[in-house]
């Protein structure tokens, strides 16, 4: 009897005033992880957690948009914003 257990993997990354490029960067990370899953780790489900470290620009708004548009397939993008 074989088991096809799903593996959870997490990528945690910081962000501080990254509004200008965070969506493009996360899109590339999502594409890379999706391809890696398809090629080598089909039972892996990824969570990309971005920790917004008190940004004063539109980083949080961009992360909110990215979490909706980039969470697909084997990759989920989410964020946590720290308060100061």
């Amino acid at each position: 009897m074989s088991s096809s257990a799903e593996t959870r993997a997490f990528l945690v990354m910081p962000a501080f005033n990254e509004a200008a490029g965070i969506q493009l960067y996360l899109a590339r990370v999502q594409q890379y992880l999706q391809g890696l899953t398809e090629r080598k780790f089909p039972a892996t489900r990824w969570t990309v957690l971005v920790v917004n470290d008190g940004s004063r620009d539109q980083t949080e708004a961009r992360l909110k948009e990215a979490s909706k548009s980039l969470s697909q397939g084997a990759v989920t993008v989410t964020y946590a914003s720290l308060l100061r």
Side-chain angles (χ1 to χ4, degrees):
M1 181 179 209
S2 68
S3 168
S4 60
E6 191 173 273
T7 301
R8 297 292 305 173
F10 294 84
L11 173 62
V12 180
M13 55 184 276
F16 182 74
N17 292 338
E18 302 291 345
I22 195 73
Q23 286 178 301
L24 178 60
Y25 180 76
L26 288 173
R28 289 180 178 168
V29 169
Q30 192 273 348
Q31 289 173 344
Y32 175 79
L33 293 176
Q34 188 67 39
L36 186 63
T37 300
E38 291 168 2
R39 289 188 312 275
K40 295 193 174 205
F41 305 105
T44 301
R45 297 296 169 252
W46 296 89
T47 298
V48 178
L49 172 61
V50 183
V51 180
N52 179 19
D53 193 14
S55 297
R56 293 182 182 101
D57 62 0
Q58 293 296 312
T59 297
E60 185 171 6
R62 300 298 175 266
L63 290 172
K64 185 175 183 178
E65 293 168 7
S67 70
K68 291 177 184 174
S69 65
L70 297 176
S71 294
Q72 55 191 339
V75 182
T76 300
V77 176
T78 189
Y79 68 97
S81 289
L82 302 180
L83 301 175
R84 300 232 172 196

